[in-house]
mmCIF file of all heavy atoms in Angstrom:
data_model
loop_
_atom_site.group_PDB
_atom_site.id
_atom_site.type_symbol
_atom_site.label_atom_id
_atom_site.label_comp_id
_atom_site.label_asym_id
_atom_site.label_seq_id
_atom_site.Cartn_x
_atom_site.Cartn_y
_atom_site.Cartn_z
ATOM 1 N N LEU R 1 26.731 237.793 -80.922
ATOM 2 C CA LEU R 1 27.385 236.804 -80.058
ATOM 3 C C LEU R 1 26.831 236.882 -78.640
ATOM 4 O O LEU R 1 26.659 235.852 -77.976
ATOM 5 C CB LEU R 1 28.897 237.023 -80.039
ATOM 6 C CG LEU R 1 29.716 236.521 -81.226
ATOM 7 C CD1 LEU R 1 31.195 236.573 -80.904
ATOM 8 C CD2 LEU R 1 29.329 235.106 -81.630
ATOM 9 N N GLU R 2 26.576 238.084 -78.159
ATOM 10 C CA GLU R 2 25.974 238.244 -76.829
ATOM 11 C C GLU R 2 24.615 237.556 -76.765
ATOM 12 O O GLU R 2 24.282 236.879 -75.786
ATOM 13 C CB GLU R 2 25.818 239.730 -76.503
ATOM 14 C CG GLU R 2 27.103 240.451 -76.148
ATOM 15 C CD GLU R 2 27.540 240.180 -74.718
ATOM 16 O OE1 GLU R 2 26.810 239.461 -73.996
ATOM 17 O OE2 GLU R 2 28.616 240.662 -74.343
ATOM 18 N N ALA R 3 23.832 237.724 -77.838
ATOM 19 C CA ALA R 3 22.513 237.085 -77.876
ATOM 20 C C ALA R 3 22.650 235.570 -77.862
ATOM 21 O O ALA R 3 21.905 234.871 -77.162
ATOM 22 C CB ALA R 3 21.752 237.545 -79.119
ATOM 23 N N LEU R 4 23.600 235.036 -78.643
ATOM 24 C CA LEU R 4 23.811 233.588 -78.658
ATOM 25 C C LEU R 4 24.269 233.088 -77.291
ATOM 26 O O LEU R 4 23.850 232.013 -76.834
ATOM 27 C CB LEU R 4 24.832 233.225 -79.731
ATOM 28 C CG LEU R 4 24.343 233.322 -81.176
ATOM 29 C CD1 LEU R 4 25.510 233.161 -82.144
ATOM 30 C CD2 LEU R 4 23.276 232.271 -81.460
ATOM 31 N N ALA R 5 25.142 233.838 -76.646
ATOM 32 C CA ALA R 5 25.601 233.446 -75.309
ATOM 33 C C ALA R 5 24.420 233.402 -74.335
ATOM 34 O O ALA R 5 24.282 232.460 -73.543
ATOM 35 C CB ALA R 5 26.664 234.426 -74.820
ATOM 36 N N GLU R 6 23.574 234.412 -74.398
ATOM 37 C CA GLU R 6 22.394 234.461 -73.526
ATOM 38 C C GLU R 6 21.463 233.278 -73.803
ATOM 39 O O GLU R 6 20.931 232.658 -72.868
ATOM 40 C CB GLU R 6 21.667 235.786 -73.772
ATOM 41 C CG GLU R 6 20.450 236.005 -72.917
ATOM 42 C CD GLU R 6 19.770 237.320 -73.262
ATOM 43 O OE1 GLU R 6 20.483 238.323 -73.450
ATOM 44 O OE2 GLU R 6 18.522 237.321 -73.352
ATOM 45 N N ILE R 7 21.280 232.957 -75.082
ATOM 46 C CA ILE R 7 20.412 231.840 -75.450
ATOM 47 C C ILE R 7 20.998 230.516 -74.962
ATOM 48 O O ILE R 7 20.276 229.645 -74.443
ATOM 49 C CB ILE R 7 20.198 231.823 -76.976
ATOM 50 C CG1 ILE R 7 19.256 232.962 -77.366
ATOM 51 C CG2 ILE R 7 19.649 230.488 -77.456
ATOM 52 C CD1 ILE R 7 19.195 233.235 -78.850
ATOM 53 N N CYS R 8 22.320 230.345 -75.128
ATOM 54 C CA CYS R 8 22.965 229.116 -74.623
ATOM 55 C C CYS R 8 22.763 228.980 -73.122
ATOM 56 O O CYS R 8 22.491 227.884 -72.612
ATOM 57 C CB CYS R 8 24.457 229.129 -74.950
ATOM 58 S SG CYS R 8 24.844 228.897 -76.693
ATOM 59 N N ASP R 9 22.897 230.093 -72.404
ATOM 60 C CA ASP R 9 22.709 230.069 -70.953
ATOM 61 C C ASP R 9 21.283 229.697 -70.564
ATOM 62 O O ASP R 9 21.055 228.903 -69.659
ATOM 63 C CB ASP R 9 23.029 231.450 -70.362
ATOM 64 C CG ASP R 9 24.488 231.585 -69.968
ATOM 65 O OD1 ASP R 9 25.128 230.557 -69.714
ATOM 66 O OD2 ASP R 9 24.976 232.733 -69.900
ATOM 67 N N GLN R 10 20.324 230.265 -71.261
ATOM 68 C CA GLN R 10 18.928 230.155 -70.835
ATOM 69 C C GLN R 10 18.164 228.978 -71.435
ATOM 70 O O GLN R 10 17.177 228.518 -70.857
ATOM 71 C CB GLN R 10 18.183 231.447 -71.184
ATOM 72 C CG GLN R 10 18.701 232.665 -70.440
ATOM 73 C CD GLN R 10 17.901 233.910 -70.767
ATOM 74 O OE1 GLN R 10 16.878 233.857 -71.438
ATOM 75 N NE2 GLN R 10 18.372 235.060 -70.291
ATOM 76 N N PHE R 11 18.620 228.484 -72.606
ATOM 77 C CA PHE R 11 17.797 227.516 -73.325
ATOM 78 C C PHE R 11 18.456 226.155 -73.569
ATOM 79 O O PHE R 11 17.754 225.216 -73.924
ATOM 80 C CB PHE R 11 17.372 228.102 -74.677
ATOM 81 C CG PHE R 11 16.469 229.291 -74.585
ATOM 82 C CD1 PHE R 11 16.989 230.574 -74.589
ATOM 83 C CD2 PHE R 11 15.088 229.144 -74.475
ATOM 84 C CE1 PHE R 11 16.167 231.684 -74.508
ATOM 85 C CE2 PHE R 11 14.257 230.240 -74.395
ATOM 86 C CZ PHE R 11 14.801 231.522 -74.403
ATOM 87 N N THR R 12 19.786 226.041 -73.479
ATOM 88 C CA THR R 12 20.432 224.761 -73.785
ATOM 89 C C THR R 12 20.960 224.108 -72.513
ATOM 90 O O THR R 12 21.568 224.784 -71.669
ATOM 91 C CB THR R 12 21.593 224.943 -74.784
ATOM 92 O OG1 THR R 12 22.668 225.649 -74.159
ATOM 93 C CG2 THR R 12 21.140 225.710 -76.018
ATOM 94 N N PRO R 13 20.775 222.804 -72.333
ATOM 95 C CA PRO R 13 21.267 222.113 -71.134
ATOM 96 C C PRO R 13 22.785 222.199 -70.982
ATOM 97 O O PRO R 13 23.301 222.253 -69.862
ATOM 98 C CB PRO R 13 20.817 220.665 -71.363
ATOM 99 C CG PRO R 13 19.687 220.747 -72.336
ATOM 100 C CD PRO R 13 20.001 221.917 -73.221
ATOM 101 N N SER R 14 23.506 222.228 -72.112
ATOM 102 C CA SER R 14 24.971 222.229 -72.055
ATOM 103 C C SER R 14 25.572 223.618 -71.928
ATOM 104 O O SER R 14 26.780 223.757 -71.763
ATOM 105 C CB SER R 14 25.530 221.577 -73.326
ATOM 106 O OG SER R 14 25.182 222.349 -74.468
ATOM 107 N N ARG R 15 24.744 224.668 -72.047
ATOM 108 C CA ARG R 15 25.207 226.054 -72.058
ATOM 109 C C ARG R 15 26.277 226.259 -73.142
ATOM 110 O O ARG R 15 27.283 226.931 -72.941
ATOM 111 C CB ARG R 15 25.762 226.486 -70.701
ATOM 112 C CG ARG R 15 24.753 226.509 -69.569
ATOM 113 C CD ARG R 15 25.329 227.087 -68.285
ATOM 114 N NE ARG R 15 25.758 228.471 -68.469
ATOM 115 C CZ ARG R 15 27.025 228.880 -68.381
ATOM 116 N NH1 ARG R 15 27.989 227.999 -68.153
ATOM 117 N NH2 ARG R 15 27.335 230.152 -68.535
ATOM 118 N N SER R 16 26.020 225.669 -74.305
ATOM 119 C CA SER R 16 26.981 225.772 -75.403
ATOM 120 C C SER R 16 26.246 225.650 -76.732
ATOM 121 O O SER R 16 25.047 225.364 -76.769
ATOM 122 C CB SER R 16 28.045 224.674 -75.300
ATOM 123 O OG SER R 16 27.460 223.395 -75.480
ATOM 124 N N CYS R 17 26.986 225.859 -77.816
ATOM 125 C CA CYS R 17 26.430 225.681 -79.155
ATOM 126 C C CYS R 17 27.513 225.117 -80.069
ATOM 127 O O CYS R 17 28.669 224.965 -79.666
ATOM 128 C CB CYS R 17 25.871 226.984 -79.713
ATOM 129 S SG CYS R 17 27.092 228.304 -79.910
ATOM 130 N N HIS R 18 27.133 224.815 -81.299
ATOM 131 C CA HIS R 18 28.044 224.187 -82.251
ATOM 132 C C HIS R 18 28.127 225.039 -83.510
ATOM 133 O O HIS R 18 27.097 225.443 -84.068
ATOM 134 C CB HIS R 18 27.541 222.777 -82.598
ATOM 135 C CG HIS R 18 28.398 222.050 -83.580
ATOM 136 N ND1 HIS R 18 29.653 221.583 -83.273
ATOM 137 C CD2 HIS R 18 28.182 221.709 -84.885
ATOM 138 C CE1 HIS R 18 30.164 220.975 -84.336
ATOM 139 N NE2 HIS R 18 29.301 221.058 -85.327
ATOM 140 N N LEU R 19 29.349 225.334 -83.956
ATOM 141 C CA LEU R 19 29.579 226.062 -85.203
ATOM 142 C C LEU R 19 29.725 225.056 -86.329
ATOM 143 O O LEU R 19 30.497 224.101 -86.207
ATOM 144 C CB LEU R 19 30.852 226.915 -85.101
ATOM 145 C CG LEU R 19 30.987 227.784 -83.853
ATOM 146 C CD1 LEU R 19 32.281 228.598 -83.910
ATOM 147 C CD2 LEU R 19 29.790 228.695 -83.682
ATOM 148 N N THR R 20 29.003 225.241 -87.422
ATOM 149 C CA THR R 20 28.948 224.225 -88.468
ATOM 150 C C THR R 20 29.798 224.597 -89.674
ATOM 151 O O THR R 20 30.271 225.729 -89.816
ATOM 152 C CB THR R 20 27.498 224.002 -88.953
ATOM 153 O OG1 THR R 20 27.147 225.044 -89.884
ATOM 154 C CG2 THR R 20 26.512 224.002 -87.792
ATOM 155 N N THR R 21 29.949 223.645 -90.582
ATOM 156 C CA THR R 21 30.702 223.878 -91.807
ATOM 157 C C THR R 21 29.956 224.773 -92.785
ATOM 158 O O THR R 21 30.536 225.181 -93.795
ATOM 159 C CB THR R 21 31.040 222.539 -92.497
ATOM 160 O OG1 THR R 21 29.827 221.796 -92.708
ATOM 161 C CG2 THR R 21 31.999 221.717 -91.660
ATOM 162 N N ARG R 22 28.685 225.088 -92.519
ATOM 163 C CA ARG R 22 27.948 226.054 -93.342
ATOM 164 C C ARG R 22 27.930 227.425 -92.701
ATOM 165 O O ARG R 22 27.097 228.273 -93.021
ATOM 166 C CB ARG R 22 26.519 225.581 -93.618
ATOM 167 C CG ARG R 22 26.474 224.586 -94.763
ATOM 168 C CD ARG R 22 25.278 224.771 -95.662
ATOM 169 N NE ARG R 22 25.248 226.003 -96.405
ATOM 170 C CZ ARG R 22 26.033 226.297 -97.444
ATOM 171 N NH1 ARG R 22 26.957 225.455 -97.830
ATOM 172 N NH2 ARG R 22 25.918 227.444 -98.070
ATOM 173 N N GLN R 23 28.845 227.639 -91.746
ATOM 174 C CA GLN R 23 28.966 228.945 -91.094
ATOM 175 C C GLN R 23 27.667 229.327 -90.388
ATOM 176 O O GLN R 23 27.260 230.489 -90.372
ATOM 177 C CB GLN R 23 29.415 230.000 -92.116
ATOM 178 C CG GLN R 23 30.802 229.714 -92.689
ATOM 179 C CD GLN R 23 31.136 230.486 -93.943
ATOM 180 O OE1 GLN R 23 31.304 229.915 -95.010
ATOM 181 N NE2 GLN R 23 31.240 231.801 -93.839
ATOM 182 N N ASP R 24 27.038 228.320 -89.831
ATOM 183 C CA ASP R 24 25.818 228.477 -89.043
ATOM 184 C C ASP R 24 26.108 228.138 -87.586
ATOM 185 O O ASP R 24 27.208 227.680 -87.242
ATOM 186 C CB ASP R 24 24.730 227.519 -89.546
ATOM 187 C CG ASP R 24 23.976 228.067 -90.748
ATOM 188 O OD1 ASP R 24 23.871 229.293 -90.867
ATOM 189 O OD2 ASP R 24 23.497 227.258 -91.559
ATOM 190 N N VAL R 25 25.103 228.307 -86.751
ATOM 191 C CA VAL R 25 25.173 227.915 -85.342
ATOM 192 C C VAL R 25 24.040 226.943 -85.064
ATOM 193 O O VAL R 25 22.897 227.182 -85.461
ATOM 194 C CB VAL R 25 25.050 229.142 -84.417
ATOM 195 C CG1 VAL R 25 25.004 228.712 -82.953
ATOM 196 C CG2 VAL R 25 26.214 230.105 -84.646
ATOM 197 N N GLN R 26 24.346 225.839 -84.400
ATOM 198 C CA GLN R 26 23.323 224.873 -84.014
ATOM 199 C C GLN R 26 23.182 224.841 -82.492
ATOM 200 O O GLN R 26 24.183 224.850 -81.769
ATOM 201 C CB GLN R 26 23.654 223.476 -84.542
ATOM 202 C CG GLN R 26 23.514 223.364 -86.053
ATOM 203 C CD GLN R 26 23.809 221.961 -86.572
ATOM 204 O OE1 GLN R 26 24.395 221.137 -85.883
ATOM 205 N NE2 GLN R 26 23.418 221.701 -87.801
ATOM 206 N N LEU R 27 21.946 224.787 -82.034
ATOM 207 C CA LEU R 27 21.609 224.733 -80.615
ATOM 208 C C LEU R 27 20.852 223.441 -80.347
ATOM 209 O O LEU R 27 19.976 223.063 -81.124
ATOM 210 C CB LEU R 27 20.742 225.930 -80.232
ATOM 211 C CG LEU R 27 21.336 227.315 -80.527
ATOM 212 C CD1 LEU R 27 20.242 228.360 -80.612
ATOM 213 C CD2 LEU R 27 22.341 227.685 -79.459
ATOM 214 N N TYR R 28 21.159 222.777 -79.241
ATOM 215 C CA TYR R 28 20.573 221.471 -78.960
ATOM 216 C C TYR R 28 19.847 221.459 -77.617
ATOM 217 O O TYR R 28 20.160 222.220 -76.709
ATOM 218 C CB TYR R 28 21.665 220.393 -78.935
ATOM 219 C CG TYR R 28 22.540 220.376 -80.157
ATOM 220 C CD1 TYR R 28 23.898 220.655 -80.074
ATOM 221 C CD2 TYR R 28 22.003 220.086 -81.411
ATOM 222 C CE1 TYR R 28 24.704 220.632 -81.202
ATOM 223 C CE2 TYR R 28 22.806 220.069 -82.543
ATOM 224 C CZ TYR R 28 24.146 220.346 -82.439
ATOM 225 O OH TYR R 28 24.944 220.338 -83.557
ATOM 226 N N GLY R 29 18.867 220.542 -77.526
ATOM 227 C CA GLY R 29 18.184 220.293 -76.255
ATOM 228 C C GLY R 29 17.173 221.352 -75.869
ATOM 229 O O GLY R 29 16.891 221.550 -74.684
ATOM 230 N N ILE R 30 16.595 222.037 -76.860
ATOM 231 C CA ILE R 30 15.644 223.121 -76.567
ATOM 232 C C ILE R 30 14.282 222.521 -76.171
ATOM 233 O O ILE R 30 13.747 221.661 -76.876
ATOM 234 C CB ILE R 30 15.457 224.030 -77.796
ATOM 235 C CG1 ILE R 30 16.811 224.449 -78.381
ATOM 236 C CG2 ILE R 30 14.610 225.237 -77.432
ATOM 237 C CD1 ILE R 30 17.698 225.201 -77.456
ATOM 238 N N ASP R 31 13.719 222.987 -75.081
ATOM 239 C CA ASP R 31 12.355 222.592 -74.724
ATOM 240 C C ASP R 31 11.384 223.247 -75.703
ATOM 241 O O ASP R 31 11.394 224.473 -75.872
ATOM 242 C CB ASP R 31 12.016 223.039 -73.295
ATOM 243 C CG ASP R 31 12.746 222.220 -72.252
ATOM 244 O OD1 ASP R 31 13.093 221.066 -72.562
ATOM 245 O OD2 ASP R 31 12.982 222.736 -71.147
ATOM 246 N N ARG R 32 10.527 222.460 -76.323
ATOM 247 C CA ARG R 32 9.634 222.990 -77.354
ATOM 248 C C ARG R 32 8.778 224.171 -76.893
ATOM 249 O O ARG R 32 8.615 225.142 -77.624
ATOM 250 C CB ARG R 32 8.742 221.873 -77.899
ATOM 251 C CG ARG R 32 9.478 220.920 -78.815
ATOM 252 C CD ARG R 32 8.512 220.014 -79.533
ATOM 253 N NE ARG R 32 9.213 219.093 -80.415
ATOM 254 C CZ ARG R 32 8.609 218.249 -81.233
ATOM 255 N NH1 ARG R 32 7.297 218.213 -81.278
ATOM 256 N NH2 ARG R 32 9.310 217.444 -82.005
ATOM 257 N N PRO R 33 8.187 224.124 -75.693
ATOM 258 C CA PRO R 33 7.351 225.263 -75.282
ATOM 259 C C PRO R 33 8.119 226.586 -75.204
ATOM 260 O O PRO R 33 7.523 227.662 -75.268
ATOM 261 C CB PRO R 33 6.829 224.846 -73.895
ATOM 262 C CG PRO R 33 6.906 223.351 -73.905
ATOM 263 C CD PRO R 33 8.125 223.027 -74.715
ATOM 264 N N ARG R 34 9.451 226.510 -75.090
ATOM 265 C CA ARG R 34 10.259 227.724 -74.939
ATOM 266 C C ARG R 34 10.780 228.227 -76.289
ATOM 267 O O ARG R 34 11.458 229.257 -76.332
ATOM 268 C CB ARG R 34 11.428 227.458 -73.995
ATOM 269 C CG ARG R 34 11.006 226.944 -72.614
ATOM 270 C CD ARG R 34 12.184 226.898 -71.671
ATOM 271 N NE ARG R 34 12.671 228.236 -71.379
ATOM 272 C CZ ARG R 34 13.893 228.497 -70.918
ATOM 273 N NH1 ARG R 34 14.739 227.507 -70.730
ATOM 274 N NH2 ARG R 34 14.268 229.739 -70.673
ATOM 275 N N LEU R 35 10.478 227.506 -77.354
ATOM 276 C CA LEU R 35 11.017 227.876 -78.655
ATOM 277 C C LEU R 35 10.595 229.274 -79.108
ATOM 278 O O LEU R 35 11.427 230.028 -79.630
ATOM 279 C CB LEU R 35 10.608 226.829 -79.698
ATOM 280 C CG LEU R 35 11.230 226.964 -81.083
ATOM 281 C CD1 LEU R 35 12.749 226.930 -81.015
ATOM 282 C CD2 LEU R 35 10.728 225.870 -82.005
ATOM 283 N N PRO R 36 9.334 229.696 -78.947
ATOM 284 C CA PRO R 36 8.973 231.053 -79.381
ATOM 285 C C PRO R 36 9.825 232.142 -78.717
ATOM 286 O O PRO R 36 10.225 233.111 -79.366
ATOM 287 C CB PRO R 36 7.496 231.168 -78.994
ATOM 288 C CG PRO R 36 6.995 229.750 -79.014
ATOM 289 C CD PRO R 36 8.143 228.933 -78.505
ATOM 290 N N ALA R 37 10.106 231.982 -77.447
ATOM 291 C CA ALA R 37 10.930 232.975 -76.735
ATOM 292 C C ALA R 37 12.343 233.000 -77.312
ATOM 293 O O ALA R 37 12.947 234.073 -77.456
ATOM 294 C CB ALA R 37 10.957 232.663 -75.242
ATOM 295 N N LEU R 38 12.868 231.827 -77.636
ATOM 296 C CA LEU R 38 14.200 231.755 -78.232
ATOM 297 C C LEU R 38 14.225 232.459 -79.589
ATOM 298 O O LEU R 38 15.140 233.238 -79.887
ATOM 299 C CB LEU R 38 14.619 230.288 -78.378
ATOM 300 C CG LEU R 38 16.028 229.969 -78.888
ATOM 301 C CD1 LEU R 38 16.467 228.603 -78.393
ATOM 302 C CD2 LEU R 38 16.112 229.984 -80.413
ATOM 303 N N LEU R 39 13.206 232.201 -80.406
ATOM 304 C CA LEU R 39 13.155 232.803 -81.740
ATOM 305 C C LEU R 39 13.033 234.325 -81.657
ATOM 306 O O LEU R 39 13.621 235.053 -82.473
ATOM 307 C CB LEU R 39 11.993 232.218 -82.541
ATOM 308 C CG LEU R 39 12.103 230.726 -82.879
ATOM 309 C CD1 LEU R 39 10.853 230.255 -83.603
ATOM 310 C CD2 LEU R 39 13.334 230.447 -83.724
ATOM 311 N N ARG R 40 12.276 234.805 -80.686
ATOM 312 C CA ARG R 40 12.145 236.251 -80.519
ATOM 313 C C ARG R 40 13.490 236.876 -80.136
ATOM 314 O O ARG R 40 13.831 237.964 -80.604
ATOM 315 C CB ARG R 40 11.077 236.569 -79.464
ATOM 316 C CG ARG R 40 9.645 236.431 -79.975
ATOM 317 C CD ARG R 40 8.655 237.061 -79.009
ATOM 318 N NE ARG R 40 8.544 236.285 -77.777
ATOM 319 C CZ ARG R 40 7.670 235.299 -77.583
ATOM 320 N NH1 ARG R 40 6.827 234.967 -78.558
ATOM 321 N NH2 ARG R 40 7.623 234.653 -76.450
ATOM 322 N N ARG R 41 14.250 236.175 -79.297
ATOM 323 C CA ARG R 41 15.567 236.711 -78.885
ATOM 324 C C ARG R 41 16.516 236.727 -80.066
ATOM 325 O O ARG R 41 17.296 237.683 -80.239
ATOM 326 C CB ARG R 41 16.145 235.851 -77.749
ATOM 327 C CG ARG R 41 17.470 236.379 -77.204
ATOM 328 C CD ARG R 41 17.282 237.717 -76.525
ATOM 329 N NE ARG R 41 18.543 238.309 -76.122
ATOM 330 C CZ ARG R 41 19.258 239.160 -76.871
ATOM 331 N NH1 ARG R 41 18.801 239.520 -78.065
ATOM 332 N NH2 ARG R 41 20.382 239.662 -76.416
ATOM 333 N N LEU R 42 16.490 235.683 -80.906
ATOM 334 C CA LEU R 42 17.312 235.669 -82.112
ATOM 335 C C LEU R 42 16.937 236.820 -83.041
ATOM 336 O O LEU R 42 17.800 237.541 -83.550
ATOM 337 C CB LEU R 42 17.143 234.341 -82.850
ATOM 338 C CG LEU R 42 17.855 233.102 -82.299
ATOM 339 C CD1 LEU R 42 17.463 231.889 -83.120
ATOM 340 C CD2 LEU R 42 19.362 233.283 -82.317
ATOM 341 N N ALA R 43 15.643 236.992 -83.259
ATOM 342 C CA ALA R 43 15.176 238.026 -84.176
ATOM 343 C C ALA R 43 15.591 239.412 -83.702
ATOM 344 O O ALA R 43 15.947 240.288 -84.511
ATOM 345 C CB ALA R 43 13.659 237.942 -84.324
ATOM 346 N N ALA R 44 15.565 239.627 -82.402
ATOM 347 C CA ALA R 44 15.952 240.929 -81.861
ATOM 348 C C ALA R 44 17.412 241.248 -82.154
ATOM 349 O O ALA R 44 17.794 242.416 -82.223
ATOM 350 C CB ALA R 44 15.696 240.955 -80.353
#
């Protein structure tokens, strides 16, 4: 959850995310060039 909060702060314009009916998390508005950094933070 801390990692998701950090990602929402740093990568999403709304500083938020969406919890789905498949028990997943969706993030919106990501700048494509920053996607590798986001994926590395998730993986960590």
Side-chain angles (χ1 to χ4, degrees):
L1 281 191
E2 286 281 358
L4 287 171
E6 182 182 317
I7 286 168
C8 289
D9 270 336
Q10 296 182 8
F11 295 93
T12 69
S14 64
R15 296 186 61 245
S16 65
C17 62
H18 179 70
L19 311 181
T20 80
T21 55
R22 278 219 66 72
Q23 297 164 245
D24 277 331
V25 175
Q26 290 182 344
L27 303 158
Y28 308 116
I30 311 300
D31 288 334
R32 286 191 180 185
R34 304 188 66 200
L35 187 58
L38 184 155
L39 295 177
R40 282 193 290 270
R41 183 66 186 92
L42 283 176

